């Protein structure tokens, strides 16, 4: 199996598993599953390219605090709300960021040459992820006015 396909599968399984488990009362199981899938991807990449493996590990470590900061800003701006947390994002949400950064690096490697495409995929993809999470259960909720929340999230 090619690496982009493997990473895409890990992301899809990790995202849906994390959102379902996290929103239905199993946040630590969601995080353990996400960590397992990220570790599996890092191991696979390490077998193929040591330099990419080091880069990926650094990005995974960096994206967790950045994701936390972004989620806190979204909560503080009252753009979103989580049933599980008012001041800080639920822990299962933070497990999604390493999955996302790996899929972005390995599945969309040519996007860095096309800034507008990156902007559109990031803005529309983030919005669709939040909307899907909302439909799966007790995940995020866009706070009124919804257009402002969507604009903040998309940018």
């Amino acid at each position: 199996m090619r690496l982009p396909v493997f990473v895409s599968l890990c992301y899809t399984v990790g995202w849906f598993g994390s959102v379902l488990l996290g929103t239905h009362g199993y946040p630590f199981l969601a995080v353990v599953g996400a960590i397992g899938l990220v570790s599996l991807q890092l191991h696979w990449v390490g077998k193929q390219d040591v330099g990419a493996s080091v880069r990926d590990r650094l990005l995974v470590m960096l994206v967790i605090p950045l994701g936390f900061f972004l989620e806190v800003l979204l909560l503080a701006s009252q753009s979103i709300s989580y049933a599980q947390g008012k001041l800080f994002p639920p822990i299962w949400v933070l497990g999604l960021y390493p999955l996302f950064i790996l899929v972005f690096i390995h599945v969309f490697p040519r996007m860095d040459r096309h800034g507008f495409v990156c902007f559109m995929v990031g803005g529309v993809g983030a919005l669709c992820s939040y909307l899907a999470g909302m439909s799966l259960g007790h995940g995020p909720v866009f706070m009124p006015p919804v257009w402002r929340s969507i604009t903040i999230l998309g940018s």
Side-chain angles (χ1 to χ4, degrees):
M1 181 181 308
R2 294 183 43 215
L3 181 64
V5 173
F6 179 71
V7 171
S8 295
L9 287 173
C10 286
Y11 175 75
T12 303
V13 169
W15 190 90
F16 279 105
S18 292
V19 172
L20 281 173
L21 291 170
T23 59
H24 288 90
Y26 303 99
F28 289 104
L29 190 55
V31 171
V32 168
I35 289 171
L37 288 168
V38 168
S39 298
L40 191 60
Q41 292 176 73
L42 292 174
H43 176 72
W44 186 308
V45 171
K47 288 172 44 177
Q48 296 182 5
D49 184 354
V50 175
S53 176
V54 171
R55 177 204 61 205
D56 288 1
R57 290 172 196 275
L58 290 172
L59 285 172
V60 164
M61 288 188 297
L62 180 65
V63 78
I64 294 170
L66 289 176
F68 177 80
F69 181 69
L70 175 64
E71 293 291 332
V72 168
L73 285 177
L74 290 171
L75 286 167
S77 69
Q78 298 180 346
S79 297
I80 61 170
S81 175
Y82 292 101
Q84 301 91 351
K86 302 296 180 201
L87 295 175
F88 299 108
I91 192 165
W92 61 267
V93 171
L94 300 179
L96 298 175
Y97 282 90
L99 288 167
F100 175 71
I101 195 69
L102 290 175
V103 80
F104 196 77
I105 291 168
H106 293 289
V107 176
F108 302 118
R110 295 187 186 108
M111 286 190 145
D112 60 347
R113 290 184 233 148
H114 307 286
F116 183 72
V117 174
C118 283
F119 176 76
M120 292 305 295
V121 168
V124 173
L127 175 61
C128 289
S129 290
Y130 277 88
L131 290 172
M134 289 167 58
S135 69
L136 288 174
H138 311 284
V141 175
F142 289 128
M143 303 305 290
V146 174
W147 67 266
R148 181 181 63 94
S149 299
I150 290 172
T151 302
I152 290 171
L153 182 65
S155 57

